[in-house]
Amino acid sequence: MGLLDDRTAVITGGNSGIGLATAKRLAAEGAFVFVTGRRQAELDAAVKEIGDNAVGVRGDVTEPEDLDRLYRVVADHGRGIDVLFANAAVIDVARLGEITEQHLDYLLDIDFKGLVFTVQKALPLLNDGASVILNSSNANAKGSDAYGVYAAIKAAVRSLARTWASELRDKGIRVNAVSPGATDTPGLEAFAHQLLPGPDALEEFDQLTAAIPMGRRGEPDEVANAVLFLASDLSSYTTGAEIPVDGGINQI
């Protein structure tokens, strides 16, 4: 028996990185998983990796009609939602004085508005006792150069977990946040080059992450394990909380 037998999970941004690792982990514990992604080919490949108990729905969390279609597919399968992981997110950095309207809109549209409407539009399908997990970031707890807008949005996501946990308590719905630190995902190299322009970006990024107490970056599976805890009855008395998965960088 698995921890999530006969339960239904929805994961946005489930075609790669943390989202894919989590989809595979929840499916391995018995969940039927719906995953979204913007690129059909990657989404199809992800569904094959996850296995027979998975459905892919192409979509962008910044497009309300895409979210509506996602939840129609879930409903058409005759399922309510037991686990919702609002995972889809991007990272973009800019120092004060370099912030543009494009930078601000890009992060707000995906990391904040997209997350808000991912959860709001799921409400009619959320079963009593469901678990909602929001993807925050360890950046929300630490002032780091050029992370200003991104960190502020992730702090807002952390705040939403508290507010929604209170608002949904009468249905027994728990809302928590998971806050990954530096994690080896497909987008890490591109981000390193954005943060540290130059041919040695990855080497310089490695020097920055050397400050992590555990001495390494995290793996997507390690974040997935934290999401599994929050998704399952193992965390039945946990709501409004944040679980950092950051190698201790903000804890020690």
Side-chain angles (χ1 to χ4, degrees):
M1 291 182 62
L3 290 171
L4 299 176
D5 283 347
D6 300 320
R7 300 190 194 182
T8 298
V10 173
I11 301 171
T12 59
N15 59 322
S16 65
I18 289 170
L20 176 56
T22 300
K24 292 164 66 176
R25 189 73 180 90
L26 300 192
E29 290 292 340
F32 191 94
V33 183
F34 294 85
V35 294
T36 73
R38 291 180 292 183
R39 295 174 293 276
Q40 189 66 54
E42 288 186 22
L43 185 62
D44 291 344
V47 169
K48 287 183 179 179
E49 273 196 65
I50 299 164
D52 293 337
N53 52 342
V55 169
V57 183
R58 194 199 63 76
D60 186 332
V61 296
T62 68
E63 300 293 340
E65 59 270 24
D66 284 2
L67 288 170
D68 290 336
R69 185 173 66 254
L70 164 65
Y71 294 127
R72 280 199 303 271
V73 171
V74 176
D76 287 347
H77 278 73
R79 294 176 177 273
I81 298 172
D82 302 295
V83 179
L84 174 60
F85 183 26
N87 166 70
V90 295
I91 185 168
D92 196 43
V93 291
R95 292 172 177 269
L96 182 62
E98 300 172 348
I99 296 170
T100 64
E101 189 171 0
Q102 181 182 21
H103 168 75
L104 194 60
D105 287 345
Y106 177 59
L107 287 172
L108 283 170
D109 284 349
I110 299 174
D111 290 2
F112 189 72
K113 288 170 60 179
L115 178 142
V116 169
F117 289 116
T118 292
V119 178
Q120 179 171 287
K121 287 177 174 291
L123 287 176
L125 288 173
L126 286 177
N127 292 326
D128 289 358
S131 174
V132 176
I133 302 115
L134 311 181
N135 186 359
S136 184
S137 166
N138 76 321
N140 82 64
K142 186 178 182 68
S144 298
D145 291 359
Y147 282 78
V149 174
Y150 174 77
I153 290 171
K154 291 302 187 177
V157 169
R158 170 70 186 99
S159 179
L160 288 175
R162 293 187 176 101
T163 302
W164 293 345
S166 178
E167 291 180 353
L168 298 176
R169 66 186 184 277
D170 289 345
K171 291 189 66 177
I173 296 173
R174 298 179 296 108
V175 184
N176 294 287
V178 63
S179 293
T183 307
D184 279 324
T185 63
L188 182 69
E189 183 173 354
F191 170 66
H193 282 286
Q194 181 195 16
L195 184 65
L196 302 162
D200 300 322
L202 279 177
E203 288 78 3
E204 293 180 47
F205 191 74
D206 282 339
Q207 292 175 15
L208 291 177
T209 57
I212 297 171
M214 291 191 71
R216 62 176 178 85
R217 292 191 292 268
E219 295 294 334
D221 286 344
E222 293 175 305
V223 182
N225 286 334
V227 177
L228 172 62
F229 169 73
L230 292 173
S232 73
D233 292 339
L234 294 175
S235 60
S236 58
Y237 199 50
T238 302
T239 193
E242 174 186 35
I243 294 187
V245 189
D246 62 5
I249 191 68
N250 287 343
Q251 319 306 321
I252 299 175

